[in-house]
């Protein structure tokens, strides 16, 4: 890519977040086709972001979750 | 504007605690994900869940719509989690494994499927990930969690954290870069 290192890094994040404009995206994809190091970087960031999504799928112990919900209902009932 | 959530917000303003359960049901998973990704501890995450929804109910009169309540809840959950982390005052709280990932999700963790010690590697990655997040400075951690874990847009995070989108973007990129460095042996 014909940009400095800081922009290079910046472009990777914008690309993985789908925030590059049409022309920027085209140029980035062209670089991506030719540059293996860039392909690795993009793949690495995508893996990190995909891995972070697993927090949304955590299963908490159901008995403790039930207790926390019950305590919340008691607190809220005390307000109304 | 008459979705189940919008109706629940309106009814909640009239003190209907039954309607409040709809709000809890809608956002509970998101709140726990935010809390656990910041704290890595089940007991504290459940405390965050309780406190976040309690404050939401107390402030329901100020909340206008679905977008507003999502922003409010995410903000309280993230800020309260960070408060708890600060209150530890260097006390060591272990990252627990009580909150479990479903097996199908564990498989998705990194590309370790065909390795003989894949399970060990996945466990290590899971711990290393939580440790790496917990070591980020507060603002970077909050931005990363709200964007990459919770899925808020940069604009929404700017509103939640009262900072320009450029700052959100910069914090996010730095946080991801640090994670990439700290997790390089797994990814």
């Amino acid at each position: 890519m014909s940009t400095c290192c800081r922009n290079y890094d910046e472009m990777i994040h914008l690309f993985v977040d789908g925030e590059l404009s049409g022309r920027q995206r085209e140029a980035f994809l062209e670089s991506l086709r030719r540059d293996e190091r860039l392909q690795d970087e993009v793949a690495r960031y995508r893996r990190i972001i995909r891995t972070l999504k697993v927090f949304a799928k955590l299963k908490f112990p159901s008995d403790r979750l039930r207790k926390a919900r019950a305590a919340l209902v008691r607190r809220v009932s005390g307000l109304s | 504007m008459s979705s189940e959530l919008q109706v629940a917000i309106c009814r909640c303003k009239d003190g209907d605690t039954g309607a409040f359960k709809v709000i809890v049901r809608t956002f509970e998973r998101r709140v726990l994900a935010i809390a656990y990704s910041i704290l890595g501890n089940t007991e504290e995450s459940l405390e965050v869940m309780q406190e976040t929804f309690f404050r939401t109910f107390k402030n329901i009169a100020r909340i206008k719509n679905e977008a507003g309540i999502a922003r409010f809840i995410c903000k309280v959950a993230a800020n309260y989690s960070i408060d708890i982390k600060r209150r530890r005052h260097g006390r060591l709280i272990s990252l627990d494994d009580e909150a479990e990932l479903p097996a199908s999700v564990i498989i998705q963790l990194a590309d370790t499927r065909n390795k003989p010690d894949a399970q060990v590697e996945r466990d290590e990655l899971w711990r290393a990930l939580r440790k790496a997040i917990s070591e980020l400075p507060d603002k970077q951690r909050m931005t990363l969690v709200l964007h990459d874990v919770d899925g808020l847009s940069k604009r929404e995070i700017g509103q939640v954290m009262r900072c320009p989108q450029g700052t959100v973007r910069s914090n996010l990129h730095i946080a991801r870069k640090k994670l990439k460095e700290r997790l390089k042996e797994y990814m």
Side-chain angles (χ1 to χ4, degrees), chain A residues 5-6 9-19 37 40-61 63-80, chain B residues 15 17 20-21 24 28-29 32-33 36-37 41-43 45-46 49-51 53-54 57-58 98-102 105 108-111 125-126 129-130 133 144 147-149 151 154 169 172-173 176-177 179-180 183-184 187:
Chain A
C5 288
R6 193 166 167 272
D9 208 52
E10 185 79 8
M11 295 287 270
I12 296 175
H13 292 281
L14 294 174
F15 176 73
V16 296
D17 286 338
E19 291 176 357
R37 206 185 122 248
D40 280 353
E41 283 286 281
V42 168
R44 205 161 284 151
Y45 277 117
R46 281 190 165 146
R47 266 199 298 269
I48 286 171
I49 294 166
R50 198 176 62 223
T51 305
L52 285 166
K53 300 281 180 222
V54 302
F55 280 104
K57 293 174 182 167
L58 277 171
K59 285 173 76 178
F60 283 77
D63 55 330
R64 292 169 69 184
L65 197 50
R66 251 196 318 274
K67 275 184 198 165
R69 285 182 192 135
L72 173 64
V73 169
R74 279 196 301 278
R75 284 180 76 189
V76 166
S77 302
L79 276 180
S80 54
Chain B
T17 50
F20 186 62
K21 286 181 183 166
V24 174
E28 184 181 79
R29 194 178 272 271
L32 287 169
Y36 195 82
S37 56
N41 180 277
T42 303
E43 194 60 44
S45 300
L46 291 169
M49 192 270 277
Q50 261 198 57
E51 191 60 33
F53 288 118
F54 183 69
F57 190 76
K58 265 176 50 173
E98 292 177 82
E100 291 175 353
L101 287 169
V105 175
Q108 296 166 13
L109 279 177
D111 296 330
L125 165 63
W126 181 227
L129 174 69
R130 288 183 292 161
I133 295 173
L144 179 88
H147 191 275
D148 286 348
V149 175
K154 294 181 179 78
R169 190 170 286 123
L172 177 67
H173 296 179
R176 280 178 181 165
K177 202 171 177 181
L179 247 56
K180 188 188 71 167
L183 300 173
K184 65 182 168 198
M187 304 247 174

Side-chain angles (χ1 to χ4, degrees), chain A residues 23-36:
Chain A
R23 196 174 289 179
Q24 286 174 319
R25 192 169 180 278
E26 265 175 42
F28 189 87
L29 283 170
E30 184 54 38
S31 304
L32 197 58
R33 268 188 287 273
R34 286 185 277 110
D35 187 341
E36 279 186 23

Side-chain angles (χ1 to χ4, degrees), chain B residues 46-179:
Chain B
L46 291 169
E47 183 190 332
V48 171
M49 192 270 277
Q50 261 198 57
E51 191 60 33
T52 299
F53 288 118
F54 183 69
R55 289 185 192 183
T56 304
F57 190 76
K58 265 176 50 173
N59 289 282
I60 197 75
R62 294 199 290 131
I63 295 168
K64 290 187 183 130
N65 51 32
E66 295 179 32
I69 200 166
R71 269 201 306 275
F72 183 88
I73 286 173
C74 292
K75 180 180 184 172
V76 173
N79 278 329
Y80 193 69
S81 300
I82 287 170
D83 281 349
I84 287 183
K85 201 165 187 301
R86 283 187 191 142
R87 266 192 269 142
R88 288 175 181 168
H89 287 307
R91 261 187 312 128
L92 266 177
I93 299 281
S94 61
L95 298 173
D96 69 42
D97 289 316
E98 292 177 82
E100 291 175 353
L101 287 169
S104 60
V105 175
I106 293 173
I107 297 294
Q108 296 166 13
L109 279 177
D111 296 330
T112 55
R113 256 165 288 190
N114 299 319
K115 296 183 184 172
D117 54 353
Q119 179 62 49
V120 175
E121 201 169 318
R122 280 179 213 130
D123 289 348
E124 280 178 12
L125 165 63
W126 181 227
R127 285 201 192 94
L129 174 69
R130 288 183 292 161
K131 187 167 183 288
I133 295 173
S134 78
E135 287 169 355
L136 292 171
D138 290 344
K139 283 180 182 166
Q140 289 169 21
R141 186 185 322 117
M142 189 162 166
T143 306
L144 179 88
V145 166
L146 290 177
H147 191 275
D148 286 348
V149 175
D150 189 63
L152 284 188
S153 68
K154 294 181 179 78
R155 188 171 150 267
E156 288 171 317
I157 296 170
Q159 289 170 338
V160 165
M161 295 178 69
R162 292 171 200 258
C163 64
Q165 276 188 63
T167 308
V168 173
R169 190 170 286 123
S170 158
N171 279 331
L172 177 67
H173 296 179
I174 295 169
R176 280 178 181 165
K177 202 171 177 181
K178 286 181 181 172
L179 247 56

